[in-house]
Amino acid sequence: MNNDDSTKLSGAIELLLASSSRINEAKPRRYWYPLSLATYGVEEIVEALDSLCSFRTTMWEKTEEFERRFSEYQGGGHSVMVNSGSSADLLLCFLLTNPFKPLFSKGDEVLIPVLTWPTQIWSAMMAGLRVRLVDVCPDTLNVDLSDLESKITPATRAIFLTHLMGNPCQMDRILTISKEHRLLVLEDCCEALGAEWDGRKVGNFGLGGTFAFFFSHHITTMEGGMVICRDGEAADQLRVQRAHGWLRNVDSTHFRLPDEVLDSRYTFINWGFNVRPTDVQAGFGLRQLEKLPEFSRRREAFATRFFAFIDQSPFLQRPIVSAKAHPSWFALPLLVNLSAPFSRKELTHYLEEQGVETRPVVAGNLAKHPAAQLFKEFSESTYPGADLIHERGFYLGLSPLQTDDGMDRLMECFQQFLNRY
Ligand SMILES: Cc1ncc(COP(=O)(O)O)c(C=O)c1O
C-alpha cells in the first residue's frame, strides 16, 4: 500500500468506527421488536479490516484459530469451519456416503424430523441417503420419539436430530434407541449453540454436530457454519470435501497416497465441493466467541422472564424443557392453545401491527410446502404434531441486545391483546 492509500484507509477506518455505534439505529424501521439486531461492533470490524489490510482474506490462520477455539468451547472435538450451516449439514451427510471412505451405502435410511430447516433434509437426500421423515412433538418442538421408533426398519442406519430453537432433544432415550438398533447419531445444532444435555454440549453426542453463524444466530460470522466431530480422521475427510476433494490442510496419514508423483498442492483424493469460509468470517467468529457467554446470559435471562409471563396465560404455551436439558434459546417460540378464543393468525397480525416481528416455527410442516411435491418421501406418512405447530406456532426474536425496557414493552403488548378475552 502506498502513502496515499494509507491516508485514505485511515480516514475510512475513522468514519467506520465512528458509525459502528449506530449499527442498530438504522435497521429496525417497521419493527421496534425485530427478529434480530446486529451483535457485532468495532472489534469485529477491526478484525475484518485486519484481514483485508494483510491481504489474507481467504481461508488462513484465523480460520484455524477459530476452529481451535470453537472446539475448546465445545469441550473437545475437531471443528471444521464452512461457509454456512447448510454447508455444514451437506458435508456431514456426504461424510456418510463419500466415495473415498463411505460409511453407508446409497439407499441406506436416515431418520430426520419433518419440522426443521429444509437444507438439513435436502443434504441427506443429495448425499444419496433415503430419508424417512419423523413427526415432531408440539410440546417440545423436537422429534417425536414414538414416531421415531415406529419408523425404524432393517435399512435404518442413522438418526439426524435437530435441537430446534435451542431446546435439546431427549438424549438419554435417543442414545438408548440408537444403541439398541445400532444407529449413528448426527446432530443439527444450528439453532442450539451452547445448549446442554446433562452438562454436555449438544453436538458432542454422535458422529458429528453442525452449527450456523448466520446474522441472527447465537454468534454471527455474517454467513458461516461449523461441523464438529470427535474423530480426527472424519474431520480430515470433511476438510477434503470442504475444498475440492484435494489433499491439503489435513494429516496425510489418514489417506492412501497415490503411487505416482503428483504435485502435492494439486492432489485430489476424493470428490468435494468448495464450501470454504473466509478469514474475514473467521475473524468475526473469534471476536463473537469471546462475547458468547454474555450473549447467552442475556438471552437466557430474557427468555426466562418472557416464558414466566407466558406461563400465566391459559391460551399460550411455550416449549417444555426436560429436567436434564439446559436450552440455549435461539428465539421465543410459542403455540396458541386449542382452547384459545383467538387464532394464531389473529395474534401474529396484532403483533405485526404493533411493531413486533414474527415468523412461523421454521418451515412449519415441510410436507405442506411446494418443494415437497417433488419428493415421495413427504407423502409416506402424516405428521399431526408438525401440522399443529404449522397451524398454531410462531416465534419472536431473542436478541442479546434487547433491553429490560424492551421486554417489559413486549409483555405489555401481549397483555393488551390477552385482556380482550
Ligand atoms: C435447524 C437449522 N439447520 C440448518 C440451518 C442452515 O443454516 P444456514 O442458514 O447458515 O445455511 C438453519 C438455519 O437457520 C437451521 O435453523
Side-chain angles (χ1 to χ4, degrees), residues 58-332:
T58 55
M59 196 174 79
W60 285 91
E61 297 96 337
K62 284 186 191 175
T63 304
E64 272 178 30
E65 178 66 1
F66 181 45
E67 290 175 343
R68 203 176 55 70
R69 301 255 196 101
F70 192 84
S71 295
E72 272 169 24
Y73 175 80
Q74 281 291 116
H78 303 266
S79 299
V80 180
M81 191 186 180
V82 286
N83 60 2
S84 72
S86 301
S87 299
D89 282 344
L90 192 71
L91 283 197
L92 187 58
C93 290
F94 271 83
L95 180 64
L96 303 174
T97 57
N98 77 88
F100 180 82
K101 196 169 181 184
L103 302 176
F104 291 2
S105 309
K106 295 254 156 132
D108 279 352
E109 288 178 9
V110 55
L111 302 170
I112 307 185
V114 71
L115 196 148
T116 180
W117 195 252
T119 50
Q120 185 186 357
I121 295 171
W122 309 148
S123 294
M125 288 178 172
M126 287 173 185
L129 295 162
R130 176 149 154 57
V131 171
R132 297 211 72 199
L133 295 164
V134 182
D135 201 12
V136 291
C137 169
D139 286 343
T140 63
L141 308 178
N142 283 325
V143 63
D144 178 322
L145 294 171
S146 327
D147 196 45
L148 180 96
E149 283 197 273
S150 77
K151 297 230 162 103
I152 296 174
T153 73
T156 311
R157 303 289 310 281
I159 309 172
F160 193 0
L161 298 169
T162 323
H163 304 288
L164 207 84
M165 294 276 139
N167 192 20
C169 296
Q170 239 289 350
M171 291 313 299
D172 286 356
R173 283 239 359 243
I174 288 165
L175 293 179
T176 307
I177 295 169
S178 68
K179 219 179 248 169
E180 204 175 307
H181 298 274
R182 296 165 175 246
L183 307 177
L184 277 182
V185 172
L186 313 159
E187 295 170 84
D188 181 315
C189 313
C190 288
E191 297 183 2
L193 177 62
E196 294 178 3
W197 176 267
D198 207 12
R200 193 164 153 201
K201 291 240 161 58
V202 298
N204 294 348
F205 284 87
L207 177 73
T210 60
F211 296 84
F213 310 132
F214 182 65
F215 189 82
S216 53
H217 284 239
H218 294 80
I219 59 170
T220 183
T221 59
M222 301 173 277
E223 294 274 5
M226 192 76 86
V227 191
I228 191 162
C229 45
R230 282 178 292 177
D231 180 46
E233 190 176 338
D236 269 351
Q237 295 284 356
L238 295 169
R239 289 189 183 100
V240 166
Q241 291 193 73
R242 169 175 68 180
H244 321 283
W246 69 19
L247 200 60
R248 270 207 216 172
N249 308 105
V250 294
D251 172 356
S252 55
T253 60
H254 290 150
F255 301 89
R256 276 189 324 266
L257 283 172
D259 294 335
E260 321 92 275
V261 182
L262 293 167
D263 186 318
S264 64
R265 294 162 302 180
Y266 275 10
T267 300
F268 296 88
I269 195 92
N270 199 354
W271 70 10
F273 308 94
N274 180 359
V275 290
R276 286 177 300 192
T278 64
D279 255 25
V280 181
Q281 290 164 296
F284 254 64
L286 282 168
R287 300 283 81 88
Q288 287 267 300
L289 211 48
E290 287 165 4
K291 298 178 179 179
L292 179 58
E294 179 61 8
F295 285 172
S296 302
R297 195 191 61 70
R298 290 181 67 83
R299 278 176 182 264
E300 184 169 357
F302 291 143
T304 304
R305 271 188 74 200
F306 182 72
F307 286 150
F309 164 77
I310 292 299
D311 286 345
Q312 290 163 19
S313 167
F315 305 137
L316 296 170
Q317 192 188 323
R318 49 74 167 231
I320 291 175
V321 176
S322 301
K324 286 190 181 176
H326 188 153
S328 174
W329 296 111
F330 169 74
L332 298 170

Side-chain angles (χ1 to χ4, degrees), residues 349-386:
H349 178 74
Y350 162 85
L351 290 170
E352 293 273 336
E353 291 278 295
Q354 295 292 315
V356 176
E357 197 170 8
T358 66
R359 284 286 185 281
V361 178
V362 202
N365 180 356
L366 199 54
K368 290 187 185 294
H369 287 252
Q373 309 290 323
L374 305 172
F375 307 105
K376 63 179 181 333
E377 286 83 345
F378 289 91
S379 55
E380 283 173 348
S381 183
T382 56
Y383 307 101

